[in-house]
Amino acid sequence: MTQTPPARADAVIVGGGHNALVAATYLARAGRDVVVLERLPHVGGAAISAQTFEGLDARLSRYSYLVSLMPQQLIDELGLRLELRSRDTASYTPYGDSGLLVETTEGPATRDSFRALTGSDDDLDAWRRFYAEVADLAGVVAPTLLEPLPHIGNLRDLSDMAVWTDVVDEPLGAAIERRFSHDLVRGVVGTDALIGTFASLHDPSLVQNRCFLYHLIGNGTGEWRVPVGGMGAVTGELERVAREAGATIVTGASVTSVTASDDGVVVAGDGFSVDADVVLSGVAPYVLAGLMGRPAPPKPSGSQFKVNLLVSRLPRLRSGVDPAIAFAGTFHLGESMSELETAWRQASDGELPDRAAGELYCHTLTDRSILGPELAASDAQTLTYFGLHTPYEVLPDAAAAQRAYRQVVDALEEHLAEPFEPLVLGVEHKTPAQIEAALGMPGGHIFHGDLQWPWLEEDERPRSAAARWGVETSHPRVLMCGSGARRGGAVSGIAGHNAAHAVLEGGLVSRTT
Protein backbone atom coordinates (compact mmCIF):
# COMPACT_ATOMS: atom_id res chain seq x y z
CA MET A 1 0.00 0.00 0.00
CA THR A 2 1.13 3.54 -0.70
CA GLN A 3 -0.19 4.48 2.75
CA THR A 4 -2.25 2.97 5.55
CA PRO A 5 -5.95 3.86 5.34
CA PRO A 6 -7.41 5.73 8.32
CA ALA A 7 -9.36 3.71 10.88
CA ARG A 8 -12.45 5.87 10.40
CA ALA A 9 -14.12 7.75 7.51
CA ASP A 10 -17.54 9.09 6.68
CA ALA A 11 -17.54 7.26 3.36
CA VAL A 12 -15.35 4.52 1.94
CA ILE A 13 -15.30 3.91 -1.80
CA VAL A 14 -14.22 0.42 -2.84
CA GLY A 15 -12.40 0.54 -6.16
CA GLY A 16 -10.69 3.54 -7.69
CA GLY A 17 -12.20 3.72 -11.15
CA HIS A 18 -13.25 6.97 -12.76
CA ASN A 19 -16.73 6.85 -11.19
CA ALA A 20 -15.20 6.41 -7.74
CA LEU A 21 -13.12 9.55 -8.23
CA VAL A 22 -16.22 11.49 -9.28
CA ALA A 23 -18.14 10.35 -6.20
CA ALA A 24 -15.17 11.12 -3.95
CA THR A 25 -14.94 14.66 -5.27
CA TYR A 26 -18.61 15.49 -4.74
CA LEU A 27 -18.63 14.03 -1.22
CA ALA A 28 -15.36 15.64 -0.19
CA ARG A 29 -16.52 19.01 -1.46
CA ALA A 30 -19.63 18.55 0.70
CA GLY A 31 -17.38 18.27 3.75
CA ARG A 32 -17.32 14.50 4.15
CA ASP A 33 -14.23 12.47 5.02
CA VAL A 34 -13.81 10.17 2.02
CA VAL A 35 -11.38 7.30 1.52
CA VAL A 36 -10.92 5.58 -1.86
CA LEU A 37 -9.40 2.09 -1.71
CA GLU A 38 -7.89 0.71 -4.95
CA ARG A 39 -6.12 -2.65 -5.19
CA LEU A 40 -3.97 -1.66 -8.19
CA PRO A 41 -0.97 0.67 -7.88
CA HIS A 42 -2.91 3.37 -9.75
CA VAL A 43 -6.46 4.68 -10.04
CA GLY A 44 -8.61 4.88 -13.14
CA GLY A 45 -9.78 1.31 -13.70
CA ALA A 46 -10.30 0.87 -17.45
CA ALA A 47 -9.84 4.59 -18.14
CA ILE A 48 -6.05 4.65 -18.24
CA SER A 49 -3.15 5.21 -20.61
CA ALA A 50 -0.11 2.95 -20.71
CA GLN A 51 3.19 2.68 -22.56
CA THR A 52 2.11 -0.62 -24.02
CA PHE A 53 5.13 -1.55 -26.14
CA GLU A 54 8.58 -1.72 -24.57
CA GLY A 55 11.02 0.71 -26.13
CA LEU A 56 8.32 2.53 -28.08
CA ASP A 57 7.29 5.91 -26.68
CA ALA A 58 3.52 5.73 -27.16
CA ARG A 59 0.94 5.90 -24.36
CA LEU A 60 -2.18 4.15 -25.65
CA SER A 61 -5.63 4.18 -24.12
CA ARG A 62 -5.31 0.56 -23.11
CA TYR A 63 -8.95 -0.32 -22.43
CA SER A 64 -11.54 2.49 -22.73
CA TYR A 65 -10.64 4.84 -25.55
CA LEU A 66 -13.35 7.41 -26.43
CA VAL A 67 -15.69 9.71 -24.49
CA SER A 68 -19.36 10.20 -25.32
CA LEU A 69 -21.63 9.78 -22.33
CA MET A 70 -19.84 12.09 -19.86
CA PRO A 71 -22.18 15.08 -19.44
CA GLN A 72 -20.73 18.53 -20.04
CA GLN A 73 -22.51 19.60 -16.86
CA LEU A 74 -20.43 17.14 -14.85
CA ILE A 75 -17.20 18.27 -16.53
CA ASP A 76 -18.04 21.88 -15.70
CA GLU A 77 -19.12 21.18 -12.10
CA LEU A 78 -15.94 19.26 -11.36
CA GLY A 79 -13.75 21.81 -13.10
CA LEU A 80 -12.02 19.24 -15.29
CA ARG A 81 -9.41 20.62 -17.65
CA LEU A 82 -10.17 18.30 -20.56
CA GLU A 83 -10.03 18.74 -24.28
CA LEU A 84 -12.37 16.43 -26.18
CA ARG A 85 -11.96 16.70 -29.93
CA SER A 86 -14.50 15.92 -32.62
CA ARG A 87 -13.60 13.87 -35.69
CA ASP A 88 -14.57 14.79 -39.25
CA THR A 89 -15.21 11.14 -40.07
CA ALA A 90 -17.96 9.32 -38.21
CA SER A 91 -17.36 5.97 -39.91
CA TYR A 92 -15.96 4.26 -42.97
CA THR A 93 -17.03 0.76 -43.95
CA PRO A 94 -15.11 -0.91 -46.79
CA TYR A 95 -17.20 -3.01 -49.13
CA GLY A 96 -15.56 -4.82 -52.02
CA ASP A 97 -13.40 -2.28 -53.83
CA SER A 98 -15.43 0.62 -52.47
CA GLY A 99 -17.01 1.55 -49.14
CA LEU A 100 -19.51 3.64 -47.21
CA LEU A 101 -18.19 6.94 -45.85
CA VAL A 102 -20.25 8.77 -43.21
CA GLU A 103 -19.03 12.22 -42.23
CA THR A 104 -19.73 13.62 -38.76
CA THR A 105 -21.36 16.59 -40.49
CA GLU A 106 -22.94 15.35 -43.68
CA GLY A 107 -21.44 16.70 -46.88
CA PRO A 108 -21.29 15.67 -50.55
CA ALA A 109 -18.91 12.78 -49.77
CA THR A 110 -21.52 11.09 -47.58
CA ARG A 111 -24.28 11.57 -50.14
CA ASP A 112 -22.11 10.27 -52.99
CA SER A 113 -21.00 7.30 -50.92
CA PHE A 114 -24.55 6.20 -50.08
CA ARG A 115 -25.58 6.50 -53.72
CA ALA A 116 -22.58 4.51 -54.98
CA LEU A 117 -23.25 1.74 -52.47
CA THR A 118 -27.03 1.46 -52.65
CA GLY A 119 -27.85 2.85 -56.09
CA SER A 120 -30.30 5.46 -54.77
CA ASP A 121 -30.96 8.01 -52.03
CA ASP A 122 -33.51 5.83 -50.24
CA ASP A 123 -31.23 4.52 -47.47
CA LEU A 124 -29.62 7.93 -47.03
CA ASP A 125 -33.05 9.52 -46.56
CA ALA A 126 -33.97 6.75 -44.11
CA TRP A 127 -30.67 7.35 -42.28
CA ARG A 128 -31.41 11.04 -41.92
CA ARG A 129 -34.95 10.42 -40.63
CA PHE A 130 -33.92 7.72 -38.17
CA TYR A 131 -31.04 9.60 -36.61
CA ALA A 132 -33.05 12.81 -36.41
CA GLU A 133 -35.68 10.90 -34.44
CA VAL A 134 -33.02 9.27 -32.25
CA ALA A 135 -31.52 12.72 -31.59
CA ASP A 136 -34.94 13.92 -30.42
CA LEU A 137 -35.16 10.92 -28.06
CA ALA A 138 -31.64 11.66 -26.80
CA GLY A 139 -32.71 15.23 -26.14
CA VAL A 140 -35.44 13.92 -23.84
CA VAL A 141 -33.35 11.31 -21.98
CA ALA A 142 -29.91 12.94 -21.69
CA PRO A 143 -30.95 15.84 -19.39
CA THR A 144 -32.27 13.32 -16.82
CA LEU A 145 -29.04 11.37 -16.34
CA LEU A 146 -27.77 13.59 -13.50
CA GLU A 147 -31.15 13.70 -11.76
CA PRO A 148 -33.16 11.14 -9.80
CA LEU A 149 -34.54 8.45 -12.09
CA PRO A 150 -37.44 9.76 -14.17
CA HIS A 151 -40.58 7.69 -14.67
CA ILE A 152 -40.88 5.92 -18.00
CA GLY A 153 -44.30 7.46 -18.60
CA ASN A 154 -42.95 11.00 -18.37
CA LEU A 155 -40.24 10.31 -20.94
CA ARG A 156 -42.55 8.40 -23.24
CA ASP A 157 -45.04 11.28 -23.23
CA LEU A 158 -42.28 13.66 -24.39
CA SER A 159 -41.03 11.35 -27.15
CA ASP A 160 -42.10 10.53 -30.66
CA MET A 161 -43.88 7.20 -30.43
CA ALA A 162 -42.40 5.80 -33.65
CA VAL A 163 -38.80 6.03 -32.45
CA TRP A 164 -39.82 5.06 -28.89
CA THR A 165 -41.32 1.86 -30.27
CA ASP A 166 -38.25 1.16 -32.41
CA VAL A 167 -35.69 1.80 -29.67
CA VAL A 168 -37.52 0.90 -26.45
CA ASP A 169 -40.45 -1.43 -27.10
CA GLU A 170 -39.41 -3.83 -29.86
CA PRO A 171 -36.13 -5.58 -30.83
CA LEU A 172 -33.97 -3.06 -32.65
CA GLY A 173 -33.30 -5.43 -35.52
CA ALA A 174 -36.93 -5.21 -36.63
CA ALA A 175 -36.71 -1.42 -36.93
CA ILE A 176 -33.41 -1.61 -38.78
CA GLU A 177 -34.77 -4.09 -41.30
CA ARG A 178 -37.96 -2.07 -41.76
CA ARG A 179 -36.20 1.28 -42.19
CA PHE A 180 -33.13 0.30 -44.24
CA SER A 181 -32.75 -1.98 -47.25
CA HIS A 182 -29.00 -2.48 -47.70
CA ASP A 183 -27.31 -5.14 -45.58
CA LEU A 184 -24.22 -2.99 -44.97
CA VAL A 185 -26.19 0.09 -43.95
CA ARG A 186 -28.23 -2.06 -41.58
CA GLY A 187 -25.06 -3.37 -39.98
CA VAL A 188 -23.51 0.06 -39.52
CA VAL A 189 -26.65 1.19 -37.68
CA GLY A 190 -26.72 -1.99 -35.60
CA THR A 191 -23.13 -1.89 -34.36
CA ASP A 192 -23.91 0.73 -31.72
CA ALA A 193 -26.24 -1.83 -30.14
CA LEU A 194 -23.47 -4.41 -29.77
CA ILE A 195 -20.43 -2.62 -28.36
CA GLY A 196 -19.73 -4.59 -25.19
CA THR A 197 -23.03 -6.46 -25.54
CA PHE A 198 -23.39 -10.06 -26.73
CA ALA A 199 -26.77 -10.38 -28.39
CA SER A 200 -28.62 -10.77 -31.64
CA LEU A 201 -30.14 -7.58 -32.98
CA HIS A 202 -33.44 -9.45 -32.67
CA ASP A 203 -32.93 -10.51 -29.03
CA PRO A 204 -36.31 -10.37 -27.20
CA SER A 205 -34.56 -9.28 -23.98
CA LEU A 206 -33.87 -5.90 -25.67
CA VAL A 207 -30.37 -5.76 -24.13
CA GLN A 208 -29.15 -4.62 -27.55
CA ASN A 209 -31.69 -1.78 -27.51
CA ARG A 210 -30.42 -0.58 -24.15
CA CYS A 211 -26.85 -0.62 -25.43
CA PHE A 212 -27.92 1.33 -28.52
CA LEU A 213 -29.66 3.96 -26.42
CA TYR A 214 -26.61 4.54 -24.21
CA HIS A 215 -24.35 4.87 -27.23
CA LEU A 216 -26.57 7.52 -28.83
CA ILE A 217 -27.66 9.78 -25.95
CA GLY A 218 -24.41 11.32 -24.71
CA ASN A 219 -24.98 15.06 -24.20
CA GLY A 220 -28.00 14.76 -26.47
CA THR A 221 -25.80 14.15 -29.52
CA GLY A 222 -24.21 10.74 -29.02
CA GLU A 223 -20.96 11.99 -30.52
CA TRP A 224 -17.89 9.98 -29.51
CA ARG A 225 -14.99 12.36 -28.95
CA VAL A 226 -11.25 11.90 -28.61
CA PRO A 227 -9.72 12.78 -25.20
CA VAL A 228 -6.53 14.71 -25.88
CA GLY A 229 -3.74 12.93 -24.05
CA GLY A 230 -5.67 9.66 -24.06
CA MET A 231 -7.93 8.20 -21.39
CA GLY A 232 -5.18 8.68 -18.83
CA ALA A 233 -5.71 12.42 -19.17
CA VAL A 234 -9.34 11.95 -18.10
CA THR A 235 -8.36 9.90 -15.05
CA GLY A 236 -5.55 12.32 -14.23
CA GLU A 237 -7.98 15.21 -14.06
CA LEU A 238 -10.45 13.23 -11.97
CA GLU A 239 -7.71 12.26 -9.53
CA ARG A 240 -6.56 15.89 -9.35
CA VAL A 241 -9.94 17.30 -8.40
CA ALA A 242 -10.60 14.46 -5.92
CA ARG A 243 -7.34 15.08 -4.08
CA GLU A 244 -7.82 18.85 -4.16
CA ALA A 245 -11.27 18.36 -2.63
CA GLY A 246 -9.65 16.49 0.27
CA ALA A 247 -10.36 12.86 -0.61
CA THR A 248 -7.84 10.30 0.63
CA ILE A 249 -6.80 7.89 -2.13
CA VAL A 250 -5.02 4.70 -1.13
CA THR A 251 -3.65 2.44 -3.87
CA GLY A 252 -2.36 -1.10 -3.39
CA ALA A 253 -5.23 -1.66 -0.95
CA SER A 254 -7.12 -4.89 -1.69
CA VAL A 255 -10.49 -5.07 0.05
CA THR A 256 -11.41 -8.54 1.28
CA SER A 257 -14.71 -7.92 3.09
CA VAL A 258 -17.50 -5.40 3.50
CA THR A 259 -19.57 -5.93 6.67
CA ALA A 260 -22.69 -3.78 6.88
CA SER A 261 -25.02 -3.26 9.84
CA ASP A 262 -27.73 -0.81 10.78
CA ASP A 263 -25.14 1.44 12.42
CA GLY A 264 -22.39 1.46 9.82
CA VAL A 265 -20.04 -0.52 7.61
CA VAL A 266 -16.63 -2.07 8.21
CA VAL A 267 -14.34 -2.39 5.21
CA ALA A 268 -11.41 -4.74 5.78
CA GLY A 269 -8.40 -5.77 3.76
CA ASP A 270 -4.89 -7.09 4.16
CA GLY A 271 -3.51 -5.11 7.09
CA PHE A 272 -6.30 -2.54 7.45
CA SER A 273 -9.86 -1.99 8.62
CA VAL A 274 -11.95 1.13 8.16
CA ASP A 275 -15.21 1.98 9.95
CA ALA A 276 -17.58 4.11 7.89
CA ASP A 277 -21.14 5.38 7.81
CA VAL A 278 -21.56 4.37 4.18
CA VAL A 279 -19.72 2.42 1.49
CA LEU A 280 -19.85 3.16 -2.21
CA SER A 281 -18.97 0.25 -4.47
CA GLY A 282 -17.09 0.89 -7.67
CA VAL A 283 -16.66 -2.84 -8.25
CA ALA A 284 -19.15 -5.01 -10.12
CA PRO A 285 -22.27 -6.26 -8.28
CA TYR A 286 -20.92 -9.82 -8.67
CA VAL A 287 -17.71 -8.84 -6.85
CA LEU A 288 -19.53 -6.81 -4.20
CA ALA A 289 -21.75 -9.81 -3.34
CA GLY A 290 -18.64 -11.84 -2.62
CA LEU A 291 -17.16 -9.13 -0.40
CA MET A 292 -20.43 -8.92 1.56
CA GLY A 293 -20.85 -12.68 1.85
CA ARG A 294 -24.12 -12.51 -0.06
CA PRO A 295 -25.39 -14.85 -2.82
CA ALA A 296 -23.83 -13.67 -6.07
CA PRO A 297 -25.86 -12.82 -9.16
CA PRO A 298 -24.98 -14.69 -12.37
CA LYS A 299 -21.40 -13.97 -13.37
CA PRO A 300 -21.22 -11.58 -16.33
CA SER A 301 -19.48 -12.64 -19.51
CA GLY A 302 -17.69 -10.06 -21.62
CA SER A 303 -17.81 -10.33 -25.39
CA GLN A 304 -15.12 -8.05 -26.80
CA PHE A 305 -11.64 -8.67 -28.22
CA LYS A 306 -9.47 -5.57 -27.87
CA VAL A 307 -6.30 -5.14 -29.91
CA ASN A 308 -3.89 -2.24 -29.45
CA LEU A 309 -1.54 -1.54 -32.35
CA LEU A 310 1.27 0.82 -33.25
CA VAL A 311 2.03 1.00 -36.97
CA SER A 312 4.77 2.77 -38.91
CA ARG A 313 2.08 4.34 -41.11
CA LEU A 314 -1.52 3.71 -42.06
CA PRO A 315 -2.05 1.07 -44.77
CA ARG A 316 -3.23 1.97 -48.27
CA LEU A 317 -6.78 0.96 -49.18
CA ARG A 318 -7.93 -0.82 -52.33
CA SER A 319 -10.78 1.67 -52.62
CA GLY A 320 -8.32 4.53 -52.98
CA VAL A 321 -9.90 6.41 -50.08
CA ASP A 322 -7.37 8.43 -48.10
CA PRO A 323 -6.45 6.34 -45.01
CA ALA A 324 -6.39 9.55 -42.96
CA ILE A 325 -10.11 9.87 -43.68
CA ALA A 326 -11.05 6.20 -43.47
CA PHE A 327 -9.35 5.44 -40.15
CA ALA A 328 -10.14 8.73 -38.38
CA GLY A 329 -13.59 7.56 -37.34
CA THR A 330 -14.94 4.04 -36.89
CA PHE A 331 -13.52 1.68 -39.54
CA HIS A 332 -15.92 -1.27 -39.71
CA LEU A 333 -14.82 -4.82 -40.53
CA GLY A 334 -17.29 -7.63 -41.16
CA GLU A 335 -20.18 -5.61 -39.77
CA SER A 336 -22.97 -5.93 -42.30
CA MET A 337 -26.10 -7.05 -40.49
CA SER A 338 -25.96 -10.58 -41.93
CA GLU A 339 -22.31 -10.92 -40.89
CA LEU A 340 -23.08 -9.70 -37.39
CA GLU A 341 -25.93 -12.16 -36.97
CA THR A 342 -23.81 -15.04 -38.30
CA ALA A 343 -20.97 -14.19 -35.91
CA TRP A 344 -23.41 -14.07 -33.00
CA ARG A 345 -24.90 -17.46 -33.86
CA GLN A 346 -21.49 -19.10 -34.18
CA ALA A 347 -20.28 -17.62 -30.88
CA SER A 348 -23.54 -18.69 -29.21
CA ASP A 349 -22.64 -22.24 -30.22
CA GLY A 350 -19.34 -21.89 -28.39
CA GLU A 351 -17.20 -21.36 -31.49
CA LEU A 352 -14.96 -18.49 -32.45
CA PRO A 353 -16.78 -16.88 -35.41
CA ASP A 354 -15.34 -17.73 -38.83
CA ARG A 355 -14.84 -14.06 -39.66
CA ALA A 356 -13.86 -11.10 -37.52
CA ALA A 357 -16.59 -8.57 -36.80
CA GLY A 358 -15.36 -5.36 -35.22
CA GLU A 359 -14.02 -1.87 -35.74
CA LEU A 360 -10.76 0.06 -35.86
CA TYR A 361 -10.03 3.63 -34.85
CA CYS A 362 -6.88 5.76 -35.05
CA HIS A 363 -6.40 8.06 -32.05
CA THR A 364 -3.28 9.75 -33.38
CA LEU A 365 -4.98 11.17 -36.47
CA THR A 366 -6.84 13.46 -34.06
CA ASP A 367 -4.33 13.72 -31.20
CA ARG A 368 -0.61 13.02 -31.60
CA SER A 369 0.23 14.07 -28.04
CA ILE A 370 0.21 10.42 -26.92
CA LEU A 371 3.35 9.81 -29.04
CA GLY A 372 6.87 10.69 -27.99
CA PRO A 373 8.79 13.27 -30.08
CA GLU A 374 10.47 10.75 -32.42
CA LEU A 375 7.28 8.85 -33.21
CA ALA A 376 5.24 12.06 -33.43
CA ALA A 377 7.63 13.38 -36.07
CA SER A 378 7.26 10.20 -38.14
CA ASP A 379 4.29 8.69 -39.97
CA ALA A 380 3.55 6.36 -37.03
CA GLN A 381 -0.04 5.93 -35.92
CA THR A 382 -1.92 4.00 -33.26
CA LEU A 383 -4.83 1.72 -34.12
CA THR A 384 -7.38 0.34 -31.69
CA TYR A 385 -9.54 -2.64 -32.65
CA PHE A 386 -12.72 -3.52 -30.74
CA GLY A 387 -14.04 -6.94 -31.73
CA LEU A 388 -17.66 -8.01 -31.32
CA HIS A 389 -19.14 -11.43 -30.56
CA THR A 390 -15.98 -12.87 -29.04
CA PRO A 391 -17.26 -13.89 -25.60
CA TYR A 392 -15.18 -15.06 -22.67
CA GLU A 393 -15.91 -18.70 -23.43
CA VAL A 394 -14.56 -18.72 -27.02
CA LEU A 395 -11.23 -17.07 -26.18
CA PRO A 396 -9.98 -19.33 -23.39
CA ASP A 397 -6.23 -19.05 -23.99
CA ALA A 398 -3.39 -17.36 -25.85
CA ALA A 399 -3.74 -19.66 -28.84
CA ALA A 400 -7.40 -18.69 -29.31
CA ALA A 401 -6.48 -15.00 -28.98
CA GLN A 402 -3.81 -15.42 -31.65
CA ARG A 403 -6.37 -17.05 -33.98
CA ALA A 404 -8.75 -14.15 -33.36
CA TYR A 405 -5.99 -11.65 -34.15
CA ARG A 406 -5.15 -13.51 -37.36
CA GLN A 407 -8.80 -13.17 -38.37
CA VAL A 408 -8.65 -9.42 -37.76
CA VAL A 409 -5.60 -9.10 -40.01
CA ASP A 410 -7.26 -11.24 -42.69
CA ALA A 411 -10.46 -9.16 -42.56
CA LEU A 412 -8.47 -5.94 -42.85
CA GLU A 413 -6.23 -7.18 -45.66
CA GLU A 414 -9.30 -7.97 -47.77
CA HIS A 415 -9.60 -4.20 -48.20
CA LEU A 416 -5.93 -3.20 -48.37
CA ALA A 417 -3.67 -2.54 -51.32
CA GLU A 418 -0.69 -3.96 -49.40
CA PRO A 419 0.11 -6.44 -46.61
CA PHE A 420 -0.62 -5.14 -43.12
CA GLU A 421 1.80 -6.90 -40.80
CA PRO A 422 5.04 -5.36 -42.22
CA LEU A 423 3.68 -2.03 -40.93
CA VAL A 424 3.13 -3.28 -37.35
CA LEU A 425 5.59 -1.98 -34.74
CA GLY A 426 3.72 -3.35 -31.73
CA VAL A 427 0.60 -5.39 -31.03
CA GLU A 428 -1.24 -6.30 -27.82
CA HIS A 429 -4.37 -8.47 -27.37
CA LYS A 430 -6.90 -8.07 -24.56
CA THR A 431 -9.46 -10.88 -24.30
CA PRO A 432 -12.30 -10.80 -21.76
CA ALA A 433 -10.30 -13.22 -19.60
CA GLN A 434 -7.27 -10.91 -19.68
CA ILE A 435 -9.43 -7.91 -18.82
CA GLU A 436 -10.88 -9.84 -15.89
CA ALA A 437 -7.40 -10.71 -14.63
CA ALA A 438 -6.04 -7.19 -15.05
CA LEU A 439 -8.97 -5.09 -13.84
CA GLY A 440 -11.05 -7.42 -11.68
CA MET A 441 -14.06 -7.06 -13.98
CA PRO A 442 -15.91 -10.40 -13.66
CA GLY A 443 -15.97 -12.18 -16.99
CA GLY A 444 -14.20 -9.20 -18.53
CA HIS A 445 -17.60 -7.51 -18.98
CA ILE A 446 -16.87 -3.83 -19.62
CA PHE A 447 -20.25 -2.72 -18.21
CA HIS A 448 -20.04 -4.99 -15.12
CA GLY A 449 -23.20 -6.67 -16.46
CA ASP A 450 -26.04 -5.91 -18.85
CA LEU A 451 -27.01 -2.26 -19.16
CA GLN A 452 -30.36 -1.20 -17.68
CA TRP A 453 -32.93 1.30 -18.88
CA PRO A 454 -32.15 4.76 -17.39
CA TRP A 455 -35.63 5.25 -15.92
CA LEU A 456 -38.18 3.82 -13.49
CA GLU A 457 -40.55 1.26 -14.94
CA GLU A 458 -44.34 1.55 -14.64
CA ASP A 459 -44.62 -0.26 -11.29
CA GLU A 460 -41.47 1.04 -9.60
CA ARG A 461 -41.93 3.21 -6.50
CA PRO A 462 -38.52 3.95 -4.96
CA ARG A 463 -38.52 4.08 -1.16
CA SER A 464 -35.05 5.46 -0.53
CA ALA A 465 -32.71 8.10 -1.92
CA ALA A 466 -30.46 5.33 -3.22
CA ALA A 467 -33.34 3.79 -5.16
CA ARG A 468 -34.43 7.20 -6.47
CA TRP A 469 -30.93 7.70 -7.89
CA GLY A 470 -30.57 4.13 -9.17
CA VAL A 471 -27.62 3.18 -6.95
CA GLU A 472 -29.20 0.91 -4.32
CA THR A 473 -27.92 -2.52 -3.27
CA SER A 474 -29.25 -5.14 -0.85
CA HIS A 475 -28.14 -2.99 2.12
CA PRO A 476 -29.13 0.66 2.72
CA ARG A 477 -25.60 1.64 3.78
CA VAL A 478 -23.93 0.18 0.70
CA LEU A 479 -24.48 1.95 -2.62
CA MET A 480 -23.30 1.29 -6.17
CA CYS A 481 -21.17 4.01 -7.72
CA GLY A 482 -19.66 2.15 -10.69
CA SER A 483 -20.76 0.66 -13.98
CA GLY A 484 -23.10 -1.73 -12.16
CA ALA A 485 -25.36 1.14 -11.12
CA ARG A 486 -28.67 1.78 -12.90
CA ARG A 487 -27.07 4.38 -15.19
CA GLY A 488 -23.57 2.96 -15.25
CA GLY A 489 -21.56 1.83 -18.23
CA ALA A 490 -19.01 3.66 -20.39
CA VAL A 491 -16.74 6.48 -19.23
CA SER A 492 -19.33 8.93 -17.99
CA GLY A 493 -18.98 9.64 -14.27
CA ILE A 494 -22.77 9.52 -14.06
CA ALA A 495 -22.92 6.66 -11.56
CA GLY A 496 -20.36 8.36 -9.32
CA HIS A 497 -22.28 11.63 -9.40
CA ASN A 498 -25.57 9.90 -8.64
CA ALA A 499 -24.20 7.80 -5.78
CA ALA A 500 -22.73 10.87 -4.09
CA HIS A 501 -26.01 12.75 -4.42
CA ALA A 502 -27.92 9.78 -3.00
CA VAL A 503 -25.62 9.75 0.05
CA LEU A 504 -26.15 13.45 0.65
CA GLU A 505 -29.89 13.36 0.02
CA GLY A 506 -30.41 10.28 2.17
CA GLY A 507 -28.45 11.59 5.15
CA LEU A 508 -26.37 8.42 5.25
CA VAL A 509 -23.40 10.20 6.83
CA SER A 510 -24.07 10.97 10.49
CA ARG A 511 -21.75 13.96 10.72
CA THR A 512 -23.06 17.24 9.31
CA THR A 513 -21.20 20.36 8.30
Side-chain angles (χ1 to χ4, degrees):
M1 284 185 291
T2 55
Q3 66 187 94
T4 301
R8 167 73 194 167
D10 294 332
V12 171
I13 304 178
V14 178
H18 82 281
N19 273 303
L21 298 174
V22 170
T25 302
Y26 278 106
L27 290 175
R29 286 181 178 176
R32 277 41 175 192
D33 292 329
V34 184
V35 176
V36 178
L37 301 175
E38 168 56 53
R39 70 178 182 89
L40 296 175
H42 57 79
V43 295
I48 61 168
S49 298
Q51 186 167 335
T52 306
F53 309 118
E54 185 175 355
L56 296 172
D57 191 4
R59 291 184 58 79
L60 282 74
S61 298
R62 194 167 220 166
Y63 302 104
S64 303
Y65 53 99
L66 289 169
V67 176
S68 167
L69 202 57
M70 182 174 284
Q72 187 61 44
Q73 176 188 334
L74 186 146
I75 294 173
D76 293 342
E77 287 181 359
L78 294 180
L80 304 181
R81 298 193 287 263
L82 292 178
E83 183 180 355
L84 303 175
R85 290 181 182 168
S86 297
R87 302 170 293 170
D88 291 337
T89 300
S91 70
Y92 178 75
T93 308
Y95 189 77
D97 290 329
S98 184
L100 178 64
L101 173 66
V102 180
E103 300 159 296
T104 300
T105 301
E106 183 188 311
T110 298
R111 296 192 292 273
D112 293 345
S113 186
F114 266 90
R115 288 169 186 162
L117 175 70
T118 66
S120 75
D121 287 337
D122 291 348
D123 269 359
L124 175 59
D125 291 340
W127 179 285
R128 291 167 174 160
R129 287 192 300 272
F130 180 61
Y131 282 103
E133 292 172 14
V134 170
D136 288 342
L137 178 61
V140 171
V141 177
T144 70
L145 297 176
L146 296 180
E147 299 175 352
L149 286 162
H151 191 272
I152 184 174
N154 295 336
L155 296 182
R156 187 171 51 217
D157 290 346
L158 295 172
S159 304
D160 178 84
M161 282 310 300
V163 74
W164 183 274
T165 297
D166 286 350
V167 175
V168 180
D169 289 338
E170 299 178 356
L172 184 66
I176 292 174
E177 290 177 342
R178 185 175 64 255
R179 287 175 177 258
F180 304 98
S181 60
H182 198 283
D183 188 32
L184 192 71
V185 177
R186 289 173 171 178
V188 172
V189 175
T191 54
D192 276 322
L194 303 174
I195 298 295
T197 296
F198 184 57
S200 164
L201 289 169
H202 293 284
D203 196 309
S205 76
L206 305 185
V207 63
Q208 75 280 16
N209 292 48
R210 300 194 291 273
C211 182
F212 182 82
L213 181 69
Y214 276 82
H215 280 118
L216 271 297
I217 62 174
N219 287 298
T221 67
E223 182 185 4
W224 290 83
R225 293 181 292 173
V226 177
V228 173
M231 292 305 299
V234 178
T235 289
E237 274 299 284
L238 291 171
E239 181 178 6
R240 176 185 67 82
V241 296
R243 290 189 184 277
E244 288 180 356
T248 298
I249 299 174
V250 183
T251 56
S254 294
V255 173
T256 56
S257 68
V258 174
T259 306
S261 68
D262 292 342
D263 299 323
V265 190
V266 178
V267 180
D270 186 12
F272 68 87
S273 178
V274 186
D275 291 334
D277 289 325
V278 64
V279 162
L280 277 61
S281 172
V283 300
Y286 180 88
V287 175
L288 177 63
L291 294 176
M292 297 182 69
R294 302 285 177 90
K299 184 179 180 180
S301 176
S303 61
Q304 69 289 323
F305 179 53
K306 178 84 184 292
V307 182
N308 294 314
L309 292 152
L310 181 67
V311 295
S312 58
R313 61 172 171 80
L314 292 175
R316 296 188 300 273
L317 294 163
R318 285 170 52 190
S319 65
V321 171
D322 184 351
I325 295 174
F327 288 98
T330 299
F331 187 102
H332 298 281
L333 290 174
E335 291 191 327
S336 68
M337 186 168 179
S338 60
E339 288 173 312
L340 289 169
E341 291 296 286
T342 297
W344 171 77
R345 284 193 297 270
Q346 290 175 336
S348 296
D349 290 335
E351 301 293 332
L352 182 67
D354 294 336
R355 292 173 57 84
E359 45 206 49
L360 285 153
Y361 140 75
C362 178
H363 182 105
T364 44
L365 283 172
T366 305
D367 166 36
R368 296 189 69 76
S369 71
I370 66 171
L371 300 177
E374 185 175 343
L375 285 173
S378 73
D379 293 327
Q381 304 282 358
T382 63
L383 286 173
T384 290
Y385 174 79
F386 191 100
L388 305 181
H389 297 336
T390 48
Y392 189 99
E393 295 77 12
V394 306
L395 292 175
D397 51 34
Q402 188 58 38
R403 288 196 300 274
Y405 173 65
R406 184 67 251 171
Q407 289 181 340
V408 174
V409 174
D410 290 345
L412 179 59
E413 286 187 336
E414 288 180 17
H415 307 288
L416 299 184
E418 60 182 328
F420 178 67
E421 290 198 302
L423 304 176
V424 176
L425 301 176
V427 58
E428 173 190 65
H429 314 149
K430 290 296 181 184
T431 67
Q434 290 170 320
I435 291 172
E436 178 180 54
L439 301 179
M441 291 181 176
H445 199 302
I446 61 173
F447 301 142
H448 292 186
D450 290 342
L451 295 169
Q452 304 171 68
W453 293 120
W455 50 67
L456 296 170
E457 298 295 345
E458 296 283 3
D459 58 349
E460 284 189 276
R461 299 292 183 269
R463 298 184 179 182
S464 68
R468 276 172 28 85
W469 286 92
V471 296
E472 77 277 17
T473 72
S474 60
H475 196 282
R477 289 193 176 273
V478 180
L479 279 58
M480 294 300 308
C481 75
S483 285
R486 186 69 161 264
R487 292 172 285 191
V491 178
S492 71
I494 292 169
H497 169 281
N498 293 347
H501 282 69
V503 169
L504 298 173
E505 180 184 305
L508 294 175
V509 175
S510 58
R511 185 175 63 84
T512 59
T513 58

